[in-house]
Amino acid sequence: MSALTNTHQPTARENLQQLLREAWHKLALQPLESTAPARRAEHLARCAGENRAWAQSLFVWGVASLYEGGTHEAITLLSRALAVYRFLGDEEGQWSCLKAIALAWSHAGDKTQALETHAAANSFKRQAEFSARANWLRWFTD
């Protein structure tokens, strides 16, 4: 007779949360390594209808793409994340996306779009507070 073990099998939600934690952690330490878990989290979140996780995974993936030099891919991903954050009413998420999109436009050489997007980000009343928590921005400071 074989012994049965009661090993916990993670749920899809637990897997999603683990992937998001991994993506955020890697974004903070090594942005190039954050793409894979962010992409997997994006797929799970989209399929599960987990909008906040979907926005976060798109954001991390977009910032990683920007860091890699994929400005147009970054703008697309970050714009999708921005739309979801707007749907959720998440101002910090919106601010973060706008800041990252402004950086992407700047890297793409479109100063007008960069300035307009940066101004939109700066229109948030709590933008100084958001900026203080935006650890990902340090990868793009000169």
Side-chain angles (χ1 to χ4, degrees):
M1 182 159 86
S2 65
L4 296 176
T5 59
N6 284 334
T7 59
H8 174 70
Q9 295 296 319
T11 66
R13 181 168 174 68
E14 289 170 332
N15 284 334
L16 172 58
Q17 294 307 313
Q18 175 60 33
L19 283 169
L20 276 175
R21 279 191 302 275
E22 181 183 347
W24 280 108
H25 179 73
K26 288 184 176 185
L27 183 64
L29 300 176
Q30 187 60 277
L32 293 175
E33 295 179 11
S34 65
T35 300
R39 288 178 70 174
R40 290 193 306 271
E42 187 278 335
H43 175 75
L44 286 175
R46 185 172 29 87
C47 290
E50 296 277 348
N51 289 333
R52 185 160 310 281
W54 188 29
Q56 290 178 8
S57 61
L58 285 166
F59 176 78
V60 172
W61 185 4
V63 171
S65 294
L66 178 58
Y67 185 79
E68 292 173 18
T71 55
H72 295 292
E73 178 183 32
I75 290 168
T76 300
L77 292 165
L78 293 163
S79 295
R80 289 178 185 164
L82 175 61
V84 179
Y85 280 126
R86 282 184 175 151
F87 173 77
L88 295 170
D90 183 327
E91 288 189 356
E92 187 167 6
Q94 292 173 61
W95 175 88
S96 295
C97 288
L98 289 166
K99 289 297 280 189
I101 292 168
L103 287 167
W105 281 122
S106 180
H107 286 262
D110 191 329
K111 293 182 191 276
T112 302
Q113 284 286 356
L115 288 172
E116 288 176 7
T117 309
H118 187 71
N122 287 340
S123 70
F124 286 89
K125 291 178 183 174
R126 296 173 46 207
Q127 62 96 17
E129 175 187 337
F130 301 154
S131 182
R133 288 195 297 259
N135 293 334
W136 60 272
L137 264 173
R138 78 175 186 280
W139 297 115
F140 303 101
T141 58
D142 295 326

